[in-house]
Amino acid sequence: MFKKALPIFLVLSLFLGSFGPANSLAEETYDIPTYNETNKLLTDAALAHNIPPEIVKTLAYQESGWNQFKDGKPYVAPDGGIGIMQVTNDDRFDENLLKTDIKYNIDAGLQKLDEKFRGVDGKLPTLNNNDRDILESWYFAILAYNGRVEENSPLKLTTDGSRNAAAYQEKFFRLMNDSFYIGMDIHPIPFDFKPEDFTYSGAPDHLLSFNKSNYQIPEHLLHKTEHKFTQNDILLSADSANFRAAPTSLSKSLKDLPSGEREAVRVLDKSFAYDQSNQYGLADDKMRFRQYVWYKVEMQDGRTAYTASSDLKHLGKRLYGKTRYDTAVSISQEGWKDGADTVVLAYGEDFPDALAGTPLAYQLDAPMLLTKVNSLPDSTKAEIRRLKPKKAYILGGTGAVSKNVETELKQLGIIEISRLGGKTRFETANEIAMHMPNKGDKAVLAYGRNFPDALAIAPYAARNGYPILLTETNKIPAATATILKGFSKTLVAGGFGVISDNAIANLNTIRFRGTDRFGTNADIVKNLEMGSEQAFVATGYNFADALTGAVLAAKKNSHLLLTPPASIKDPIRATILEKKYDHFQFLGGKSVVGIENELGKMIER
């Protein structure tokens, strides 16, 4: 922080106070925490304040070398900074506790840093959407923690626009890059600074003001905290990573990747483990730069190991369960963490009635859950209890989902139950379309005897309010044809083999097609724009996971990609590379969507 000299009366009072009773501050001797203990204190406090631990631990080291005490005494710097976070010039905090209580000192420092980030004492420039988990987002808050002064200008005090390497925040990110998180390649941050972005007050205060409110940096150049990975996250390991038997580099190596190779792994626990090198007799002073943590993971060969967080890359998350019903629940828990007013129920053993359900579920902000004919699976019941909905929509007639399920829904507290079903799958799709609260000017037409094409286009249709209607190959059912007349254009999902030109001859259409389901999927994704840089991935050979996942994909403004279990088809591969997707939600277990390692190699090229 920017420090001011202590008033002379305060210096004298501190000096005179040292002659107090035997238990006075001056005569106390304090235990100095080990680096391992300090690492835990800083990390836990950072997470509690929703600040990346990488930021907090680097800041504490730059401020004090992680010293709350020196020689058993409270550490007070010559400029008045107190303790590990060098807190000063703030009457809100108890000075004695700042000196004697490391947790209190850390909390005080992080409160001040958080206030800088949020602009409590004056707005600072932001980066992109100001994501707190992005390390570079804290650049200006770190500057302000030390002081909004001319010497911390990102540019030298000249008009040539050269970077000011001596600025506090520049030294901070250099320290993070070179010592704390080697290999992160976080410095220098590629801000597009210009001399006109800053104003300098000159003497006597030498203050720095900001003329630009926001900077934009491509997301692939940014770094996210490595302390918030959680269970079932898919991570791409470091280049030539070592997988260990315990959370320390001193433990037995279970696998060493060759140079230039990374491996996609799945996180097994809900949180990380701290480095245990100190338990192996490593000297405490060597713990200083072991700021990283460890994750227990499942390797590609199915074995369990630990890998260090340093240089890990988040590839995505696997949403799955033991059965298709459980996977639907996992998808619901990911997308509707705080509950839902409405749920949509579909028969879990066949697809026809639910094919058209994605746009409706999206507009109702309702997860799609699966049911058996005569009863709700236990996992579905438990999820409904968690969601606490008041309404439910059942897709299909009583032959697919019996009235027994309606009774169970009422027993779970659902007040209003609506059934959308007809005598055929085509009529059911029409019913669903008619109950959509908001409809766009276009409709989607898909083949009603198979699922891939309808599911591939479902997220896009849902986002745009386009109902999904179903057809036979050579003739559109009469009722469906009547409905289609009310739309200005029809998006046809599938090639001539599934929907003939004769069937759509009287419609204003745009057709999306490929040589197979994967080619059609690729054509849809390439030509129908959605805003997210991530994609959802599901098996192209079964409907259940893609069916329930399509609603979440729509909610996340993401496309759905279909794949065989163990390899990526060429049209989908080309689409991923063209769209530059670098994050993926894997719908289903590894046995049905096991392409994470292949994806990892693709995006690292």
Side-chain angles (χ1 to χ4, degrees), residues 31-41 66 278 284 287:
D31 292 332
I32 299 174
T34 66
Y35 284 118
N36 197 47
E37 291 167 341
T38 303
N39 183 27
K40 290 182 180 180
L41 289 171
W66 282 19
N278 61 315
D284 194 50
M287 290 293 296

Side-chain angles (χ1 to χ4, degrees), residues 3 28 30 119 157 239 249 253 269 298 313 332 358 379 443 452 462 508 529 557:
K3 319 292 192 317
E28 287 278 2
Y30 295 90
L157 305 187
D239 184 351
S249 57
S253 177
D269 290 342
E298 178 187 56
K313 182 180 178 65
S332 173
T358 299
S379 60
N508 181 15
E529 202 62 46
N557 198 17

Side-chain angles (χ1 to χ4, degrees), residues 503-530:
I504 58 174
N506 296 321
L507 298 173
N508 181 15
T509 63
I510 301 176
R511 186 191 287 272
F512 302 94
R513 66 185 181 88
T515 56
D516 58 14
R517 63 189 64 192
F518 305 107
T520 297
N521 184 188
D523 197 40
I524 289 167
V525 174
K526 285 181 180 180
N527 292 289
L528 297 177
E529 202 62 46
M530 295 185 78

Side-chain angles (χ1 to χ4, degrees), residues 3-6 11 63 70 75-83 86 88:
K3 319 292 192 317
K4 293 182 180 178
L6 288 173
V11 174
E63 284 288 321
K70 282 191 175 181
Y75 172 48
V76 181
D79 60 5
I82 299 172
Q86 289 291 278
T88 190

Side-chain angles (χ1 to χ4, degrees), residues 261-273:
E261 187 171 322
R262 293 172 177 257
E263 181 171 313
V265 296
R266 180 173 67 91
V267 178
L268 295 175
D269 290 342
K270 290 183 178 180
S271 188
F272 55 76

Side-chain angles (χ1 to χ4, degrees), residues 416-453:
E416 184 180 334
I417 300 173
S418 300
R419 184 185 289 273
L420 305 179
K423 293 180 180 179
T424 66
R425 62 191 67 192
F426 308 103
E427 292 180 8
T428 296
N430 296 347
E431 272 294 298
I432 293 169
M434 292 302 99
H435 281 81
M436 284 174 58
N438 302 294
K439 287 184 277 292
D441 61 344
K442 300 179 182 68
V444 170
L445 187 66
Y447 179 51
R449 300 293 177 182
N450 211 341
F451 58 86
D453 300 339

Side-chain angles (χ1 to χ4, degrees), residues 266 317-321 323-324 327-328 330-331 537-539 545-546 585-594 596:
R266 180 173 67 91
K317 188 168 187 176
R318 187 174 293 282
L319 305 175
Y320 79 111
T323 68
R324 61 187 59 192
T327 295
S330 179
I331 291 167
V537 185
T539 176
D545 300 338
Q585 298 279 354
F586 300 89
L587 304 175
K590 191 174 175 62
S591 63
V592 293
V593 187
E596 63 270 27

